[in-house]
Amino acid sequence: MAVLVAGVGCYLLKLAGLSVPQAVLAHPVAERVADLLPVALLAALVAVQVFADGPTLVVDARVVGLGVAVVALLLRAPFLVVVLAAAAAAALARLV
């Protein structure tokens, strides 16, 4: 039952998005929000996964991995290199 309700809810949400008039979607504020919303959601997901352990805030090896990933991204490393460097740094931090 829960899967059916969720499926119908997703369909109705998509239908609601398709029924929004084009004039509303073409508004500069709506375009700006649509551009920035995925970035904000991804940043929030990363923050929760790195700094939370259940209901508590933690600072552990994941923070080291995130720092290495940020540095690798700033150096314009390929995505696979970023992931491998972050994983290696987190593993070494856990080892220490």
Side-chain angles (χ1 to χ4, degrees), residues 13-87:
L13 185 61
K14 184 170 182 89
L15 184 63
L18 291 173
S19 64
V20 174
Q22 186 62 30
V24 173
L25 296 175
H27 195 274
V29 174
E31 288 180 356
R32 185 78 172 147
V33 168
D35 287 342
L36 294 178
L37 193 60
V39 174
L41 291 174
L42 183 59
L45 178 64
V46 167
V48 168
Q49 291 297 314
V50 170
F51 295 108
D53 186 18
T56 60
L57 290 175
V58 294
V59 176
D60 59 5
R62 295 176 289 185
V63 177
V64 174
L66 178 63
V68 169
V70 167
V71 170
L73 286 171
L74 289 174
L75 295 174
R76 303 223 184 256
F79 181 72
L80 187 58
V81 172
V82 172
V83 171
L84 292 175

